[in-house]
Amino acid sequence: MSAAPDAAARPRIAILGGTGNVGRGLALRWGHAGYDVTIGSRSNEKAAQASAQLNSELGRNAVGHGGYREVAASAPIVVLTVPYAAQRSAVEEVADLLAGKILIDTTVPLMPPKVARVQLPSGGSAVAAVQEMLGSSVRVVSAFQNVPAHLLLDMAHDVDCDVLVCGDDVAARETVIQLIAAIGLRGIHAGPIANSAATEALTSVLISINSRYKVPGAGIRITGLSGADHA
Ligand SMILES: NC(=O)c1ccc[n+]([C@@H]2O[C@H](COP(=O)([O-])OP(=O)(O)OC[C@H]3O[C@@H](n4cnc5c(N)ncnc54)[C@H](OP(=O)(O)O)[C@@H]3O)[C@@H](O)[C@H]2O)c1
């Protein structure tokens, strides 16, 4: 299992779309783990309100806020938590600020109303398309697609799921796995960015399971790894 980094090695984390469910959940959990986070929003007022609420819940000023460009410039790790329809424009807005950084993309290309049916974009994967768009100077890592946001937001309970982590750069994947370990989840190397198609598709499978079994948050666990070196 990968160890969480010590205090001196905690990078600032910027979350574009950080006022949303996944964004606030991750900000809360990383803030709780001692990280400083900046949430980015299209609305300064909405971002200020969300960061004040998160800081109040955390009991410290761990969460700053700003516009997308301001927050993307502020951190070596940038996380994207916006709806699929806004994914491309959000990335385009900050693309020139991302060189040399890790972009963690949580996007699932759900196409309402049929969200329980797998519908991937023509290129196969929404996140792989972002890697292609940005080029190799930005290390795009796909993660969190199969973690229900309400579980991230519920600090009273651990999150009972593994996180599949896809990306072409193994070191970047490992960094993300450490960030996932820091919030108490198990990140698993799941191969190159092209494999994100499978994790994106799996979300619709989980939504379908939620509906059939009338549960709010089915998740995944990978078996067969006991004793393995996960790094
Ligand atoms: N919800 C889940 O359980 C879950 C789980 C895994 C992955 N995901 C994926 O994670 C991403 C975020 O999901 P979420 O549930 O956190 O979404 P959400 O609650 O709707 O929040 C997304 C945030 O994106 C920002 N945004 C930017 N452009 C937008 C636009 N055109 N329309 C609406 N919001 C826009 C909004 O922030 P501002 O208004 O402040 O700009 C909003 O707060 C999605 O791609 C989703 O597929 C979701």
Side-chain angles (χ1 to χ4, degrees):
M1 173 66 70
S2 305
D6 63 24
R10 286 178 195 139
R12 174 172 286 278
I13 301 171
I15 305 179
L16 308 182
T19 60
N21 293 317
V22 174
R24 281 182 299 112
L26 291 174
L28 201 53
R29 293 207 174 244
W30 276 318
H32 188 71
Y35 286 77
D36 288 327
V37 178
T38 319
I39 57 171
S41 169
R42 299 166 296 172
S43 152
N44 194 47
E45 195 186 338
K46 193 172 165 187
Q49 208 169 34
S51 70
Q53 193 187 353
L54 289 164
N55 285 327
S56 153
E57 202 165 328
L58 287 165
R60 72 181 185 99
N61 278 337
V63 183
H65 68 274
Y68 282 3
R69 288 188 62 78
E70 190 185 346
V71 308
S74 75
I77 307 281
V78 179
V79 186
L80 189 63
T81 62
V82 300
Y84 175 53
Q87 181 207 29
R88 195 174 183 90
S89 61
V91 172
E92 280 170 354
E93 189 174 336
V94 298
D96 61 310
L97 301 170
L98 296 177
K101 300 186 179 187
I102 291 175
L103 177 68
I104 305 174
D105 192 346
T106 69
T107 304
V108 181
L110 294 179
M111 297 179 198
K114 297 197 168 167
V115 294
R117 173 182 295 185
V118 176
Q119 300 177 85
L120 295 176
S122 57
S125 153
V127 181
V130 163
Q131 178 68 83
E132 198 174 327
M133 175 180 140
L134 290 170
S136 58
S137 69
V138 185
R139 294 174 296 160
V140 178
V141 176
S142 174
F144 296 111
Q145 279 80 8
N146 310 133
V147 181
H150 72 273
L151 300 185
L152 290 171
L153 283 162
D154 177 9
M155 291 299 293
H157 298 96
D158 291 339
V159 180
D160 182 21
C161 329
D162 287 334
V163 183
L164 298 178
V165 180
C166 304
D168 290 342
D169 186 293
V170 177
R173 253 196 261 148
E174 183 57 27
T175 298
V176 174
I177 284 172
Q178 288 178 6
L179 292 172
I180 292 167
I183 58 173
L185 282 85
R186 183 173 69 160
I188 294 177
H189 286 276
I193 202 72
N195 288 3
S196 182
T199 63
E200 294 164 32
L202 196 47
T203 303
S204 289
V205 175
L206 292 170
I207 291 170
S208 188
I209 291 169
N210 287 342
S211 165
R212 178 66 180 81
Y213 292 92
K214 302 195 182 344
V215 295
I220 59 148
R221 282 280 187 212
I222 300 300
T223 62
L225 288 177
S226 59
D229 175 6
H230 298 182

